[in-house]
Amino acid sequence: MSRFVVYGALYALLAVALGAFGAHGLEGKLSERMLENYETAVRYQMYHALGLLLVGVLSDKLGGGRLLVWSGRLLQLGILLFSGSLYVLSLTGYTKLGIVAPFGGMSFIVGWVLLMLAAWKHGQRN
């Protein structure tokens, strides 16, 4: 499960770097709407990078398990689909990937639900 800590740290590092790039390199180059989309991508990437860190840390406390593994996988998938599609939209104006963002959002939601269920199951056992 420590791999989720590594992935979480990597996605957080990238969120900081991409956020700095957006703030310093894209201002004035993108429309206000596209800059907002970019900022949303960075923000959600950071939230879910922290979620991945949580999954990795809790896996030791809760004993791992399939729910936590799938929670981490779905949070990663959500970052790629949701934030990734918004990055592409913002930087290129390519709107066809807009259909992908809701799947990323659903991945986030299900990932958090699985994390909640893992914690609940652990509480029921103890």
Side-chain angles (χ1 to χ4, degrees):
M1 285 303 193
S2 65
R3 71 178 182 262
F4 290 124
V5 173
V6 172
Y7 293 144
L10 175 62
Y11 283 120
L13 175 145
L14 291 172
V16 171
L18 290 168
F21 172 70
H24 301 291
L26 296 178
E27 196 168 11
K29 294 185 172 76
L30 296 180
S31 71
E32 187 65 31
R33 179 70 181 135
M34 290 300 155
L35 197 53
E36 287 174 12
N37 286 336
Y38 187 90
E39 290 170 353
T40 298
V42 170
R43 187 171 51 255
Y44 275 74
Q45 180 174 330
M46 180 57 84
Y47 293 157
H48 293 89
L50 295 173
L52 283 169
L53 290 170
L54 182 62
V55 167
V57 169
L58 286 179
S59 67
D60 287 336
K61 181 171 177 45
L62 303 182
R66 290 178 30 213
L67 290 173
L68 283 174
V69 169
W70 278 102
S71 174
R73 288 175 179 168
L74 288 169
L75 292 179
Q76 286 184 82
L77 181 64
I79 290 170
L80 295 173
L81 295 178
F82 184 83
S83 294
S85 67
L86 288 181
Y87 289 132
V88 171
L89 170 67
S90 301
L91 296 172
T92 68
Y94 184 71
T95 59
K96 301 281 189 214
L97 284 180
I99 191 71
V100 173
F103 293 105
M106 284 304 299
S107 295
F108 287 150
I109 291 167
V110 175
W112 287 109
V113 167
L114 293 178
L115 178 58
M116 178 187 68
L117 289 174
W120 184 77
K121 280 181 71 173
H122 178 75
Q124 292 294 315
R125 287 191 303 261
N126 296 327

